[in-house]
């Protein structure tokens, strides 16, 4: 038996020309990564860990940065930041789908019109496509079941209009080619506890417009009913 101590064998060097292992923090961020970080920011706003202004600034940065590492910085000072970072690193491996995103609802108008209005419950993610058609989405009486509601809109020779209550935070990220993409009401003072509506879109020879409807405010109908009965 050899009782001499031998140093541990060094790890084998990578073969010449073999690609280096990728740094998860430097990977390009996916929609699933952004959704996960957006949910952490929303929870922090609801818990009072972030002010409405801080939440708005970080949400703007969320859709401007490009890598997973830059996303992690946005939640590094929050309790869920470590868990989010671990999940983001795991997302580097191929995965069928990110958990918790939920189904994507669709609103389509092809040479026709489509509308969502009244007392309805929008999903967390909605895709709206208008091709030579009109789409009207009215959220002024909607029941929001999540803090962040996102619309991905495409308009080709069509028109899409989205109305939100005036105390909801509205954010827009999009562009147009020989068309119009306009979000009015960004930066306006909103209730810290009110939902956030994000509109991302592209207009080709079409029009996409999102704005707050003055005089329409998101209210807690249950609380209003309790006060009336009291």
């Amino acid at each position: 038996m050899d009782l001499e101590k031998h140093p541990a064998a060094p790890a084998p060097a990578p073969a010449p020309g073999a690609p280096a292992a990728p740094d998860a923090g430097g990977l390009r961020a996916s929609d699933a990564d952004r959704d996960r970080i957006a949910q952490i920011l929303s929870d922090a706003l609801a818990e009072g860990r972030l002010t409405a202004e801080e939440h708005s600034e970080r949400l703007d940065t969320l859709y401007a940065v490009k890598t997973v590492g830059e996303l992690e910085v946005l939640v590094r000072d929050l309790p869920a930041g470590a868990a989010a970072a671990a999940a983001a690193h795991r997302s580097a491996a191929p995965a069928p789908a990110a958990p918790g995103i939920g189904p994507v609802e669709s609103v389509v108008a092809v040479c026709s019109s489509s509308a969502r209005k009244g007392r309805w419950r929008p999903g967390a993610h909605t895709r709206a496509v208008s091709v030579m058609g009109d789409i009207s989405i009215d959220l002024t009486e909607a029941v929001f079941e999540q803090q962040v509601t996102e619309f991905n809109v495409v308009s080709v020779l069509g028109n899409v209009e989205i109305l939100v209550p005036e105390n909801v935070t509205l954010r827009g990220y999009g562009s147009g080619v020989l068309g119009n993409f306009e979000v009015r009401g960004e930066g306006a003072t909103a209730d810290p506890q009110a939902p956030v509506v994000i509109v991302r879109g592209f207009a080709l020879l079409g029009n996409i417009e999102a704005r707050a409807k003055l005089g329409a405010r998101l209210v807690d109908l249950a609380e209003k009913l309790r006060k009336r009965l009291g």
Side-chain angles (χ1 to χ4, degrees), residues 1 15 21 37 51 62 85 102 129 189 211 217 219 221 224:
M1 178 181 294
I37 299 301
T51 66
L62 173 69
V129 179
T189 302
R211 60 183 176 86
R217 296 181 62 82
V219 295
L221 295 183
K224 188 175 181 181

Short mmCIF file of all heavy atoms in Angstrom, two decimals, residues 1 15 21 37 51 62 85 102 129 189 211 217 219 221 224:
data_model
loop_
_atom_site.label_atom_id
_atom_site.label_comp_id
_atom_site.label_asym_id
_atom_site.label_seq_id
_atom_site.Cartn_x
_atom_site.Cartn_y
_atom_site.Cartn_z
N MET A 1 0.85 -1.19 0.00
CA MET A 1 0.00 0.00 0.00
C MET A 1 0.88 1.23 0.00
O MET A 1 1.81 1.33 0.79
CB MET A 1 -0.91 0.00 1.23
CG MET A 1 -1.79 1.23 1.33
SD MET A 1 -2.84 1.20 2.79
CE MET A 1 -3.89 -0.17 2.39
N ALA A 15 -9.68 20.75 -24.77
CA ALA A 15 -8.99 20.45 -26.03
C ALA A 15 -8.81 21.72 -26.84
O ALA A 15 -9.64 22.63 -26.77
CB ALA A 15 -9.80 19.42 -26.82
N ALA A 21 -16.82 27.17 -21.61
CA ALA A 21 -18.16 27.09 -21.03
C ALA A 21 -18.76 28.49 -20.93
O ALA A 21 -18.09 29.43 -20.49
CB ALA A 21 -18.09 26.46 -19.63
N ILE A 37 -38.32 38.29 -13.58
CA ILE A 37 -37.82 39.45 -12.84
C ILE A 37 -38.94 40.48 -12.63
O ILE A 37 -39.04 41.11 -11.58
CB ILE A 37 -36.64 40.10 -13.60
CG1 ILE A 37 -35.49 39.10 -13.75
CG2 ILE A 37 -36.15 41.33 -12.87
CD1 ILE A 37 -34.94 38.58 -12.44
N THR A 51 -40.56 51.76 -3.87
CA THR A 51 -41.55 52.81 -4.09
C THR A 51 -42.06 52.71 -5.51
O THR A 51 -41.49 52.00 -6.35
CB THR A 51 -40.93 54.20 -3.86
OG1 THR A 51 -39.92 54.43 -4.87
CG2 THR A 51 -40.30 54.31 -2.48
N LEU A 62 -35.70 47.01 -17.14
CA LEU A 62 -35.93 45.59 -17.41
C LEU A 62 -36.04 45.31 -18.90
O LEU A 62 -35.51 44.31 -19.40
CB LEU A 62 -37.20 45.15 -16.68
CG LEU A 62 -37.72 43.74 -16.97
CD1 LEU A 62 -36.77 42.70 -16.40
CD2 LEU A 62 -39.12 43.55 -16.40
N ALA A 85 -31.68 34.71 -9.41
CA ALA A 85 -30.39 34.53 -10.08
C ALA A 85 -30.14 33.06 -10.36
O ALA A 85 -29.67 32.69 -11.44
CB ALA A 85 -29.27 35.11 -9.21
N GLY A 102 -47.97 30.90 -17.78
CA GLY A 102 -49.39 30.76 -18.04
C GLY A 102 -49.71 30.89 -19.52
O GLY A 102 -48.86 31.20 -20.35
N VAL A 129 -53.46 40.79 -32.80
CA VAL A 129 -52.99 40.88 -34.19
C VAL A 129 -54.12 41.45 -35.04
O VAL A 129 -55.23 40.89 -35.08
CB VAL A 129 -52.57 39.50 -34.74
CG1 VAL A 129 -52.12 39.63 -36.18
CG2 VAL A 129 -51.47 38.90 -33.87
N THR A 189 -48.56 60.07 -12.80
CA THR A 189 -48.65 59.56 -11.43
C THR A 189 -49.75 58.52 -11.33
O THR A 189 -50.89 58.76 -11.69
CB THR A 189 -48.94 60.71 -10.46
OG1 THR A 189 -47.91 61.69 -10.58
CG2 THR A 189 -48.98 60.21 -9.02
N ARG A 211 -53.68 54.48 -24.25
CA ARG A 211 -53.81 55.70 -23.47
C ARG A 211 -54.73 55.47 -22.27
O ARG A 211 -55.50 54.51 -22.23
CB ARG A 211 -54.38 56.84 -24.33
CG ARG A 211 -55.75 56.56 -24.92
CD ARG A 211 -56.22 57.69 -25.82
NE ARG A 211 -57.49 57.39 -26.47
CZ ARG A 211 -58.68 57.61 -25.92
NH1 ARG A 211 -58.75 58.16 -24.70
NH2 ARG A 211 -59.80 57.31 -26.57
N ARG A 217 -61.25 55.25 -13.21
CA ARG A 217 -60.26 54.82 -12.24
C ARG A 217 -60.53 53.39 -11.79
O ARG A 217 -61.68 52.97 -11.67
CB ARG A 217 -60.24 55.74 -11.01
CG ARG A 217 -59.84 57.17 -11.34
CD ARG A 217 -59.83 58.03 -10.09
NE ARG A 217 -58.86 57.57 -9.10
CZ ARG A 217 -57.56 57.86 -9.14
NH1 ARG A 217 -57.09 58.62 -10.12
NH2 ARG A 217 -56.74 57.42 -8.20
N VAL A 219 -61.03 50.76 -9.19
CA VAL A 219 -61.50 50.81 -7.81
C VAL A 219 -61.72 49.39 -7.29
O VAL A 219 -61.90 48.46 -8.07
CB VAL A 219 -62.82 51.61 -7.68
CG1 VAL A 219 -62.59 53.06 -8.05
CG2 VAL A 219 -63.91 51.00 -8.53
N LEU A 221 -64.20 47.20 -6.03
CA LEU A 221 -65.64 47.16 -5.96
C LEU A 221 -66.12 46.46 -4.69
O LEU A 221 -67.16 46.80 -4.14
CB LEU A 221 -66.20 46.43 -7.18
CG LEU A 221 -65.95 47.14 -8.52
CD1 LEU A 221 -66.62 46.36 -9.65
CD2 LEU A 221 -66.47 48.56 -8.50
N LYS A 224 -66.02 49.01 -1.99
CA LYS A 224 -67.10 49.96 -2.21
C LYS A 224 -68.46 49.38 -1.75
O LYS A 224 -69.28 50.09 -1.16
CB LYS A 224 -67.16 50.32 -3.71
CG LYS A 224 -68.11 51.45 -4.07
CD LYS A 224 -67.98 51.78 -5.53
CE LYS A 224 -68.92 52.94 -5.91
NZ LYS A 224 -68.81 53.27 -7.36
#
